[in-house]
Amino acid sequence: MVKVRRQDDDVWYRKPRSRCIILLVLIGLLVIVIIAVAVALAKKGGDSLPPDPLERAKALMKRVPLVDGHNDLPWQLKLHFDNRLENIDMYESTADKFDEGYGHTDIPRLRQGMVGAQFWAAYVACSNQYKDPVRFALEQIDVIKRFTNKYSEVFEFVTTAQGILDAFNKNKIGSMIGVEGGHAFDSHLGNLRMLYDVGARYVTITHSCNTPWADNWKCSQDNNPEFGGLSEWGELVIREMNRLGMLIDLSHVSFDTMHDTLRITEAPVIFSHSSAFAICAHHRNVPDDVLEKVKENGGVVMVNFYEKYINCPPMNQSVSDIKQVADHIDYLKSKCGVDCVGIGSDYDGVDVLPEGLGDVSTFPDLIAEMIRRGWSDEDIEKLLGNNLIRAFKEAEKVRDRLSSSIEPYDETIPRDSGEEANNTCRHYIYNPDN
């Protein structure tokens, strides 16, 4: 018997094979779509984060380091213990160890507050100017390095933007130095370079006094400028800071000094602990015309928690609270964009704080408040630390570009800068008359 194959047998067998191919293609496309959606949701935070604002805040703080721009714990260590660390245990509460109103910072509360990185202030008082500011700055840098080393299971001393992220990935608090007061380097660029070499990564151009080359915030308040911002030599300081990669901190300076610096600098500036002048008209805060320049510059305004800079006319109330701090953050976002906002608490440098922000343990509550106000996960991450890290990286790029082509500036400040009496303690070895 001869078997005859039907002519349409091949067609009958080919049809399932074609259907399988089509089905596999469709499944592949579906998988690609699912992956793309998952990636998009991951970038936005998606539904993987808890809906409760406080729990969501904590989840985001596990993902991105909260970088606080200013904490004055080193000053309290100097005032109360003369920097003798054997007399204080940072695992114990400091609430009863400092003057009334202070004691905001210790290791348990830093951990509770989920602090990811901290600029510790090496504060130099205005009374040190023309006397021993460099020695005092070095003492404060020394104590910062010593306590971060003593508690190395908690802190890691870092000097780069990447160092912040590396420490965070080790579950350590990246610890950096900010020198508070431009008089700390005593108007000598060599001293400024040495501060950078020992680890300082920002200098606050002035404190609440003029340097011999820049006006402080009181000049705007009292309308009595000495230089109208920066002197010619002060402009040189800004250029050398750019060349070094030292972040320029404009908290404490006059409005004119803000404008002059923003005109000159090639790197983003920071305000390590200042708020919005339009919300609280204190001259330590940042006015709108400066905020516009900060936006162009790519700088970051790190909101201060101090009662006097948060709660004052035109929008003052009987008692300051966490919502007012959030108002400042919202306002800064509206004026210079979400990329310009950060956090600079000023803990242990101020004695009156808003209700709800009494110490370093309360940072998650502030982030939760911003989430309640509709801030996206991406915006929260920028506020937490991504903005500061970006600005820091940009300053490093400017450093790499300038330092490869420009020698260190070596011009000395004119001898007649500042009051003549302030030069009596100086020994000008190159001048035989002194």
Side-chain angles (χ1 to χ4, degrees):
M1 183 176 183
V2 179
K3 292 184 179 180
V4 179
R5 190 174 71 175
R6 290 177 51 187
Q7 192 172 13
D8 61 351
D9 279 354
D10 286 343
V11 175
W12 189 86
Y13 283 106
R14 283 200 302 270
K15 281 182 180 179
R17 190 178 303 128
S18 299
R19 288 171 182 157
C20 287
I21 292 171
I22 293 170
L23 183 60
L24 288 172
V25 170
L26 290 174
I27 291 172
L29 290 172
L30 181 61
V31 169
I32 291 170
V33 170
I34 291 172
I35 291 172
V37 171
V39 169
L41 287 174
K43 287 182 177 179
K44 294 177 64 178
D47 294 330
S48 62
L49 296 178
D52 176 74
L54 183 57
E55 293 307 311
R56 194 176 193 89
K58 291 178 179 179
L60 290 168
M61 294 171 80
K62 290 179 181 177
R63 203 156 73 181
V64 173
L66 180 144
V67 183
D68 182 20
H70 197 89
N71 184 300
D72 275 299
L73 174 64
W75 175 238
Q76 299 299 332
L77 297 177
K78 177 64 177 176
L79 281 179
H80 295 88
F81 302 105
D82 199 23
N83 288 344
R84 299 183 65 181
L85 295 180
E86 66 269 23
N87 293 332
I88 184 170
D89 183 350
M90 288 297 296
Y91 279 104
E92 296 179 357
S93 175
T94 62
D96 60 349
K97 291 180 172 62
F98 302 149
D99 293 338
E100 185 178 355
Y102 296 92
H104 310 138
T105 311
D106 49 54
I107 289 171
R109 285 183 289 174
L110 284 166
R111 286 306 199 189
Q112 186 180 348
M114 303 184 70
V115 176
Q118 182 67 66
F119 276 103
W120 302 104
Y123 167 66
V124 180
C126 285
S127 59
N128 291 96
Q129 186 163 206
Y130 308 113
K131 297 174 184 175
D132 53 359
V134 179
R135 189 202 77 187
F136 205 93
L138 291 174
E139 285 183 354
Q140 293 309 101
I141 288 172
D142 170 70
V143 79
I144 293 167
K145 287 190 169 185
R146 285 193 294 120
F147 81 68
T148 54
N149 183 63
K150 181 176 180 178
Y151 301 100
S152 59
E153 71 281 6
V154 176
F155 304 112
E156 183 164 315
F157 183 69
V158 302
T159 58
T160 65
Q162 185 60 45
I164 296 173
L165 298 172
D166 292 344
F168 182 71
N169 289 335
K170 299 174 190 175
N171 195 32
K172 293 187 178 183
I173 299 171
S175 295
M176 299 160 286
I177 297 168
V179 174
E180 188 173 21
H183 53 281
F185 63 88
D186 201 25
S187 299
H188 286 272
L189 295 175
N191 292 341
L192 175 65
R193 288 187 283 272
M194 290 301 99
L195 290 178
Y196 185 86
D197 283 351
V198 296
R201 285 302 178 266
Y202 76 63
V203 170
T204 314
I205 297 303
T206 71
H207 194 252
S208 298
C209 54
N210 290 354
T211 64
W213 43 272
D215 289 336
N216 81 98
W217 66 271
K218 291 181 180 178
C219 293
S220 296
Q221 174 184 271
D222 302 334
N223 194 26
N224 63 343
E226 182 177 356
F227 306 105
L230 292 170
S231 72
E232 185 176 346
W233 196 83
E235 295 183 3
L236 196 66
V237 172
I238 301 303
R239 294 190 177 94
E240 181 63 1
M241 291 179 73
N242 281 170
R243 195 195 66 82
L244 283 171
M246 182 84 83
L247 287 166
I248 299 162
D249 177 19
L250 295 180
S251 288
H252 283 282
V253 306
S254 72
F255 295 165
D256 286 338
T257 303
M258 295 176 190
H259 280 290
D260 280 354
T261 301
L262 285 161
R263 172 175 52 83
I264 296 162
T265 183
E266 297 184 48
V269 303
I270 66 168
F271 290 78
S272 69
H273 55 307
S274 295
S275 299
F277 185 83
I279 299 291
C280 174
H282 194 292
H283 286 75
R284 270 283 283 103
N285 289 336
V286 190
D288 285 358
D289 59 345
V290 172
L291 292 176
E292 293 172 4
K293 299 296 183 183
V294 171
K295 182 177 182 178
E296 296 171 8
N297 166 261
V300 183
V301 181
M302 308 180 83
V303 171
N304 191 310
F305 296 174
Y306 186 31
E307 157 92 20
K308 289 185 178 179
Y309 308 156
I310 290 295
N311 182 31
C312 67
M315 300 181 71
N316 61 313
Q317 58 191 46
S318 57
V319 178
S320 62
D321 59 33
I322 192 171
K323 293 183 182 299
Q324 285 184 304
V325 176
D327 289 343
H328 280 263
I329 295 172
D330 268 338
Y331 185 83
L332 290 170
K333 179 184 176 185
S334 72
K335 296 303 293 185
C336 58
V338 70
D339 292 331
C340 89
V341 190
I343 295 171
S345 66
D346 212 358
Y347 281 129
D348 275 313
V350 297
D351 59 348
V352 183
L353 292 158
E355 289 186 351
L357 288 174
D359 58 52
V360 296
S361 70
T362 60
F363 285 114
D365 298 310
L366 177 61
I367 303 307
E369 175 64 23
M370 304 319 299
I371 291 171
R372 292 187 192 96
R373 293 178 178 221
W375 280 49
S376 70
D377 294 345
E378 182 181 4
D379 288 353
I380 291 293
E381 290 173 348
K382 289 182 177 183
L383 171 67
L384 284 170
N386 281 350
N387 284 340
L388 185 280
I389 292 169
R390 171 197 43 82
F392 198 169
K393 286 181 177 179
E394 184 59 32
E396 292 171 337
K397 290 178 183 177
V398 171
R399 172 203 63 198
D400 294 343
R401 173 171 56 83
L402 295 180
S403 62
S404 65
S405 59
I406 299 175
E407 291 293 320
Y409 293 98
D410 56 10
E411 289 87 338
T412 56
I413 193 167
R415 286 280 303 277
D416 60 355
S417 296
E419 300 175 15
E420 189 61 32
N422 291 327
N423 286 317
T424 58
C425 293
R426 303 179 189 279
H427 182 205
Y428 295 95
I429 194 168
Y430 56 83
N431 188 330
D433 296 331
N434 286 288

